[in-house]
Amino acid sequence: MLRLASKRLLGLATGEAASSRPVQILPRLYHENVIDHYNNPRNVGSFDKNDPNVGTGLVGAPACGDVMKLQIKIDEKSGKIVDACFKTFGCGSAIASSSVATEWVKGKSTEEVLTIKNTEIAKHLSLPPVKLHCSMLAEDAIKAAVKDVEAKRAKLNGSEAAPAEKAADA
Amino acid sequence: MASKLLLQTLTRRQPTTIIRRFSTAAAVATPPDYEDPSGITMKGVKISGRPLYLDMQATSPVDPRVLDSMLPYYLSRYGNPHSRTHLYGWESENAVETARAQVAALIGASPKEIIFTSGATESNNISVKGVMHFYKDKKRHVITTQTEHKCVLDSCRHLQQEGFEVTYLPVESDGLIDLDRLRKEIRPDTGLVSVMAVNNEIGVVQPMEEIGIGALYMRRRPRIRVEPQMNGGGQERGIRSGTVPTPLVVGMGAACELAMKEMEYDERRIKSLQDRLLNGIREKIDGVVVNGSMERRYVGNLNLSFAYVEGESLLMGLKEVAVSSGSACTSASLEPSYVLRALGVDEDMAHTSIRFGIGRFTTEEEVDKAVELTVKQVVKLRDMSPLYEMVKEGIDIKQIQWAQH
């Protein structure tokens, strides 16, 4: 009885009150860019970490709820990053931050990508203050990957690549 | 009666004056602006329809039979139960006393031992602080558990600030307390042992009958007395001042009566749904851990950890299932739940927990859909998880020196 009445009430209401709906402004939990990268993460995957042209950055800790693995593939001749991929254990913002990072490093030199700042990633994804550490982790992952590949190349080429490694540390 | 009137009004749609009387009700029933035929958009998330609900430990739908019992007290018998001078007051008082008897019958208490409050937080404040304040000259010590609800823990902390001593009893890895350990902690000046019967997060059932202390009602023999936490008109025998809301109390009474009649049936049915959910998930994926004892557990609760998958991202992908995360990430503290930590759950596993709550109105179809969506999402996130990849490669992730942030 009651159910029937309330159904009719609802039916009636949709017809009559559609024009006078109250405007509600709700706080957003995730920016659409975060949701986009979470739903369609770019460059998920792994490269062979023993490849001398691949740099691997593994940052974060399981106990903190975030672990990021970001890998870059360097073109031997030009030194540019030709490909990048990631795997992340973490919240949606951490996944989105690493997904964005892989997009941004492609086509750039290792020096250039070291200038990518966490603030830019945070801004792109409109991360709230509690999620800023996700973007910092992404920046750390880029730096760790560059450091790794440069150390590998230095080992292979002897003294030739040493200055590059110093630049990475600086 | 009331609904009949409503129905007649709406079908005939005349006289117009009566329609206007109900216009506020119609406005309330308007679908909110975040819903449209193509789906629902809220908090930046778009969902194809209303999610299926498996968060029954947060709150649950009202049984229509309960609502039926409440409605007259909203619409026609709306008297204040404390009014002494007219019929409205008398009939409300009767209704409140009937409800009190219904609640008492369910837990095997006397109606005089039931005090209506706004809810668990208030009840626990009255019990914990009220008892200790009343007996403060002789009793200076309280025992509780580390997995207790925040309202008990916070009341205890408040007592500590006032100079009382509090022992926070640790729990075993299954979430249960060790009775021998409890016995050892009891001292001559222990005034209160507060242990929750069913944990709200992990659903474990503590051995209450063996402690022998009632918590929700106030025993009269021997009489327990408390200092009131609310001062005012002296309602509820002076323990809880404030007007008793008749419709809500009537609803609680009706719910207790229904529970008494149907509890066994509900428990059997919900247990089968709990099994269906757990087995359904475990058939498809490995690395699923139940947090808390499986033997001594409230059947409507299933708190699961999914190894190598972070809880918040899992919830984000499970927008079509309304569940809670065991880790408090969403509440911005980025800390795993204190209940899971007290159980000794590894921190990384505590970050991966989800609480499924099953209720009287949950269907098999809903459980099956929840299994399907959960499995799909866990598989997707594991493909994306560096930890899962490392484990598959045979690396022991516990041996890695992680850089803690």
Side-chain angles (χ1 to χ4, degrees):
Chain A
M1 184 59 141
L2 176 74
R3 221 173 289 165
L4 193 67
S6 54
K7 253 184 204 160
R8 285 182 189 255
L9 202 67
L10 275 163
L12 178 75
T14 35
E16 282 185 355
S19 55
S20 60
R21 282 181 185 175
V23 179
Q24 273 180 300
I25 299 163
L26 290 155
R28 281 194 154 190
L29 206 56
Y30 298 106
H31 187 262
E32 56 186 299
N33 286 351
V34 175
I35 290 167
D36 177 35
H37 278 277
Y38 172 83
N39 287 333
N40 310 294
R42 327 295 200 260
N43 315 309
V44 174
S46 293
F47 301 140
D48 175 10
K49 58 178 182 282
N50 300 316
D51 182 332
N53 292 318
V54 166
T56 305
L58 183 67
V59 293
C64 304
D66 296 291
V67 176
M68 262 180 214
K69 187 187 79 166
L70 189 141
Q71 292 183 302
I72 50 173
K73 196 178 261 174
I74 309 267
D75 178 65
E76 233 171 297
K77 291 193 183 93
S78 66
K80 286 214 168 159
I81 297 169
V82 286
D83 206 355
C85 65
F86 82 96
K87 283 204 174 188
T88 290
F89 162 88
C91 63
S93 303
I95 290 171
S97 296
S98 31
S99 175
V100 167
T102 55
E103 287 275 272
W104 286 4
V105 297
K106 276 199 249 180
K108 293 197 173 103
S109 71
T110 48
E111 290 82 25
E112 267 178 284
V113 297
L114 292 175
T115 63
I116 295 174
K117 289 275 164 289
N118 69 71
T119 46
E120 297 167 71
I121 298 170
K123 198 177 160 197
H124 182 72
L125 296 172
S126 292
L127 296 183
V130 286
K131 295 292 180 191
L132 288 181
H133 69 279
C134 297
S135 60
M136 294 178 206
L137 216 52
E139 184 189 314
D140 289 350
I142 298 173
K143 287 189 170 140
V146 169
K147 199 172 166 184
D148 180 55
V149 77
E150 291 192 333
K152 274 187 193 168
R153 283 152 67 96
K155 220 183 237 176
L156 274 181
N157 306 341
S159 58
E160 210 179 308
E165 196 192 353
K166 266 183 198 160
D169 284 340
Chain B
M1 179 60 211
S3 55
K4 197 183 245 174
L5 178 72
L6 233 107
L7 182 70
Q8 278 174 354
T9 315
L10 295 170
T11 39
R12 275 193 270 129
R13 291 175 139 237
Q14 53 176 236
T16 39
T17 47
I18 297 186
I19 288 243
R20 197 161 294 147
R21 259 183 70 192
F22 285 102
S23 64
T24 45
V28 171
T30 308
D33 69 333
Y34 49 81
E35 281 187 38
D36 67 52
S38 71
I40 302 171
T41 310
M42 200 177 210
K43 303 222 173 197
V45 177
K46 193 162 171 62
I47 328 167
S48 54
R50 294 191 71 79
L52 64 95
Y53 189 83
L54 286 178
D55 199 11
M56 297 293 181
Q57 275 92 62
T59 192
S60 54
V62 169
D63 190 307
R65 293 167 292 181
V66 170
L67 185 63
D68 277 344
S69 73
M70 295 164 69
L71 278 174
Y73 294 92
Y74 277 117
L75 297 169
S76 48
R77 298 177 211 162
Y78 37 74
N80 182 327
H82 313 296
S83 294
R84 300 268 181 242
T85 50
H86 48 68
L87 177 96
Y88 286 84
W90 304 332
E91 66 183 2
S92 284
E93 190 191 9
N94 273 351
V96 167
E97 291 318 312
T98 305
R100 201 186 299 282
Q102 287 167 320
V103 175
L106 179 66
I107 62 168
S110 148
K112 288 179 180 159
E113 294 168 328
I114 304 298
I115 286 120
F116 287 115
T117 65
S118 63
T121 296
E122 189 186 336
S123 296
N124 285 326
N125 270 276
I126 293 176
S127 330
V128 175
K129 289 195 273 190
V131 165
M132 293 314 286
H133 284 167
F134 195 86
Y135 296 102
K136 60 175 177 276
D137 297 331
K138 286 186 199 138
K139 305 287 187 185
R140 305 295 303 169
H141 181 230
V142 182
I143 301 175
T144 186
T145 72
Q146 291 178 357
T147 56
E148 216 66 3
H149 192 267
K150 283 275 181 200
C151 62
V152 173
L153 291 179
D154 226 52
S155 294
C156 286
R157 225 155 271 148
H158 184 86
L159 287 175
Q160 267 179 314
Q161 282 171 0
E162 292 175 347
F164 290 93
E165 277 182 68
V166 181
T167 302
Y168 298 95
L169 211 62
V171 293
E172 307 286 302
S173 60
D174 59 5
L176 298 171
I177 54 164
D178 177 351
L179 284 169
D180 285 329
R181 201 158 172 175
L182 172 63
R183 233 169 262 133
K184 277 182 204 132
E185 295 288 352
I186 297 178
R187 325 189 307 213
D189 69 338
T190 301
L192 184 73
V193 178
S194 173
V195 178
M196 74 204 306
V198 180
N199 187 278
N200 55 315
E201 228 177 282
I202 51 172
V204 294
V205 181
Q206 300 284 5
M208 288 308 288
E209 56 290 355
E210 287 145 69
I211 304 172
I213 289 178
L216 281 171
Y217 71 102
M218 297 194 33
R219 203 174 51 191
R220 289 178 79 225
R221 262 182 227 102
R223 190 165 179 173
I224 307 281
R225 299 186 63 183
V226 298
E227 185 186 287
Q229 299 297 313
M230 297 273 259
N231 302 323
Q235 289 92 342
E236 296 297 277
R237 305 205 331 267
I239 290 160
R240 200 273 187 189
S241 284
T243 299
V244 172
T246 313
L248 300 182
V249 161
V250 165
M252 181 157 180
C256 286
E257 196 171 318
L258 276 179
M260 211 152 139
K261 284 188 195 138
E262 299 181 1
M263 205 155 45
E264 273 178 48
Y265 169 80
D266 281 344
E267 188 167 341
R268 270 200 310 278
R269 197 177 153 275
I270 294 173
K271 173 73 186 148
S272 81
L273 292 177
Q274 187 197 41
D275 290 342
R276 196 183 179 97
L277 182 63
L278 182 61
N279 297 338
I281 291 174
R282 280 199 163 150
E283 254 167 41
K284 307 242 174 56
I285 44 178
D286 54 3
V288 181
V289 178
V290 180
N291 294 309
S293 165
M294 203 53 207
E295 288 74 43
R296 291 191 63 99
R297 169 181 289 269
Y298 164 60
V299 292
N301 173 288
L302 205 52
N303 189 314
L304 301 178
S305 280
F306 299 89
Y308 325 120
V309 170
E310 198 268 340
E312 194 185 331
S313 60
L314 184 52
L315 280 188
M316 193 173 164
L318 275 181
K319 278 294 159 248
E320 266 125 34
V321 188
V323 284
S324 276
S325 167
S327 68
C329 269
T330 40
S331 66
S333 68
L334 300 167
E335 285 282 317
S337 129
Y338 68 95
V339 174
L340 295 183
R341 270 208 297 213
L343 258 62
V345 174
D346 284 341
E347 276 201 65
D348 53 330
M349 285 300 268
H351 273 293
T352 69
S353 99
I354 293 226
R355 182 184 71 185
F356 294 90
I358 306 163
R360 183 182 285 159
F361 301 108
T362 307
T363 63
E364 288 185 354
E365 289 75 19
E366 284 177 307
V367 168
D368 291 346
K369 190 75 188 166
V371 169
E372 181 199 320
L373 292 169
T374 307
V375 168
K376 189 175 145 204
Q377 200 57 30
V378 170
V379 168
K380 180 189 165 188
L381 289 172
R382 280 189 179 166
D383 281 342
M384 218 190 274
S385 167
L387 302 176
Y388 191 60
E389 182 182 71
M390 288 157 95
V391 169
K392 289 269 140 166
E393 284 170 8
I395 299 168
D396 184 357
I397 51 173
K398 293 219 176 358
Q399 298 304 315
I400 295 178
Q401 293 287 317
W402 298 100
Q404 302 270 343
H405 274 255

